[in-house]
Amino acid sequence: MEITLFSPLDMHLHLREGDMLKAITLPSINDFASAVVMPNLRDPVDTLEKVQTYRKQIESLVSEHAFEPLMTVFFRSFSRQELIALKSHIFAVKLYPAGVTTQSEKGISDFSAIEPTLEILQELKIPLLVHGETNGFVLDREKEFLPMVERMAQNFKDLRIVMEHISTRDSLRVLERYENIFATVTVQHLLFTLDDLAGGLLQPHLFCKPIVKRPADRQALLDAVLAGHPKIMFGSDSAPHPLDKKEAPGCAAGCFTAPIALPVLAELFERHEAMSRLQDFISGHAQTIHGLEPLPKPVRLKKEPYKVPQTFGSVVPLLAGHTLSWRVSSRGD
Ligand code: NCD
Ligand code: ZN
């Protein structure tokens, strides 16, 4: 059996910097026509100059491949002039609460000060991507942040807000309530629960923020995605860290998933008899929501065993060593 996915889009991808950028860019972007590139570098990407520099570094690595990076900037208080200048160079602005995830120390701690910037984003029609977690108890962080998302959605009705990597039923309820709220979902939150991460031997390569949650949360996400919820897009949140930062005391948060995402999703959608919905989850919904016109890139998958490599460079992917039932057989670029 074979399927072809047209112009797969990854709406949330970490490509990192330096040697890591060089090592993981091609495996991360190979199966995608485009991806939304996160700005949480050690020195956050928060100016036009930094966006341009980062884009050039990425483009030089993908040169002969059909792939377009959609750049983001790290949220701070921006002036109107700054955002006008940035608008044609970025896809969105990414907001991180301070300290909730990898390299988010320069994120927001005073939410009362963000409104003037949100006002300008709304006016200029620049989407806002939100990492929605508080610093509270780890299982409740996403839920605790929801009132903040709701406040933004109410106060800025024309601002397109994307709740990134949602992991709870509670987020799905908020998604239903506001026309201007959308969401991305990862593979790990569709496949796993906290039991898989910490119920037996600890699985560092499944540790990410937000943490994988309860069975009922995973089931609710799966139901919504497999039913073809039009406000939910695929965003891998593929977040590589070197082996010695994952298999270590003080394990870094982030699952490396981009190179295996399409086979994993094909297997999942086939198992649930929802293969006809995969194209929209992987591309169609994002095109409609954001008005994207991605590069034409057919990616063909075959139903054949695929053993996930133990490493890509120095990075261990999610499901390393597992055999999946689908593999990517050709890419049209
Ligand atoms: C991401 C990273 O490593 O940059 N980590 C993660 O656990 N998801 C940051 C993020 O998106 O939260
Ligand atoms: Zn992320």
Side-chain angles (χ1 to χ4, degrees):
M1 208 192 323
E2 279 192 353
I3 57 164
T4 303
L5 296 172
F6 297 94
S7 303
L9 302 174
D10 182 348
M11 300 306 287
H12 182 137
L13 177 66
H14 297 271
L15 287 178
R16 307 301 193 204
E17 57 203 295
D19 289 344
M20 183 62 95
L21 172 73
K22 290 196 187 107
I24 59 86
T25 292
L26 287 185
S28 301
I29 62 99
N30 244 342
D31 297 344
F32 294 91
S34 193
V36 177
V37 179
M38 291 297 125
N40 63 328
L41 304 189
R42 282 191 289 270
D43 178 23
V45 179
D46 63 355
T47 65
L48 177 55
E49 199 188 333
K50 289 182 197 171
V51 169
Q52 286 173 317
T53 306
Y54 194 30
R55 181 200 293 275
K56 273 195 205 121
Q57 290 169 359
I58 295 166
E59 281 174 350
S60 74
L61 291 167
V62 302
S63 55
E64 79 279 21
H65 293 261
F67 176 79
E68 185 193 0
L70 297 172
M71 306 305 291
T72 60
V73 276
F74 197 97
F75 190 103
R76 59 176 170 82
S77 285
F78 287 103
S79 70
R80 207 164 171 281
Q81 280 325 104
E82 281 178 308
L83 285 171
I84 288 172
L86 275 164
K87 184 175 158 67
S88 58
H89 298 268
I90 58 168
F91 165 72
V93 173
K94 175 70 189 277
L95 188 155
Y96 293 90
V100 298
T101 190
T102 306
Q103 289 168 190
S104 63
E105 293 74 15
K106 298 203 175 126
I108 300 301
S109 35
D110 177 8
F111 279 85
S112 67
I114 66 174
E115 299 227 332
T117 301
L118 297 186
E119 185 82 52
I120 308 165
L121 294 179
Q122 171 172 259
E123 179 205 331
L124 298 178
K125 301 196 186 318
I126 299 173
L128 177 72
L129 315 182
V130 181
H131 183 118
E133 289 196 285
T134 65
N135 287 302
F137 176 65
V138 72
L139 286 177
D140 295 335
R141 289 175 185 178
E142 184 170 296
K143 183 176 185 174
E144 285 174 0
F145 194 83
L146 289 173
M148 176 62 66
V149 177
E150 293 196 67
R151 196 144 64 239
M152 292 192 252
Q154 284 159 4
N155 292 347
F156 302 95
K157 290 200 164 51
D158 294 326
L159 176 63
R160 198 182 317 142
I161 299 170
V162 183
M163 296 190 290
E164 297 285 77
H165 40 54
I166 58 170
S167 65
T168 59
R169 270 190 300 186
D170 309 287
S171 290
L172 288 168
R173 290 193 197 106
V174 169
L175 185 67
E176 295 309 329
R177 216 170 287 151
Y178 299 91
E179 267 183 25
N180 53 335
I181 295 188
F182 303 87
T184 60
V185 168
T186 73
V187 289
Q188 64 266 28
H189 295 102
L190 291 174
L191 289 181
F192 299 114
T193 71
L194 190 52
D195 259 1
D196 298 301
L197 167 65
L201 295 178
L202 189 69
Q203 302 299 322
H205 301 291
L206 182 44
F207 175 59
C208 67
K209 302 291 180 69
I211 203 160
V212 285
K213 298 281 186 329
R214 297 172 178 83
D217 291 306
R218 181 190 58 172
Q219 192 59 47
L221 293 174
L222 201 51
D223 289 347
V225 165
L226 296 173
H229 196 303
K231 295 172 92 182
I232 303 180
M233 305 163 271
F234 174 64
S236 71
D237 190 17
S238 180
H241 294 277
L243 182 65
D244 64 346
K245 293 277 189 291
K246 291 293 287 179
E247 297 182 8
C251 165
C255 303
F256 186 45
T257 56
I260 59 153
L262 296 191
V264 169
L265 288 171
E267 182 170 323
L268 182 69
F269 276 62
E270 189 198 18
R271 188 176 343 128
H272 293 277
E273 295 174 4
M275 205 58 127
S276 62
R277 305 256 159 78
L278 182 54
Q279 176 64 41
D280 277 344
F281 178 56
I282 203 74
S283 191
H285 295 158
Q287 290 185 42
T288 307
I289 291 165
H290 294 296
L292 296 172
E293 291 178 11
L295 299 169
K297 179 170 178 174
V299 179
R300 191 168 280 270
L301 288 100
K302 264 202 180 121
K303 192 165 183 194
E304 280 177 4
Y306 166 59
K307 188 157 184 238
V308 176
Q310 291 295 344
T311 54
F312 288 88
S314 69
V315 184
V316 178
L318 189 73
L319 294 169
H322 286 247
T323 301
L324 301 172
S325 55
W326 287 82
R327 69 178 181 85
V328 174
S329 55
S330 71
R331 307 166 178 91
D333 62 352

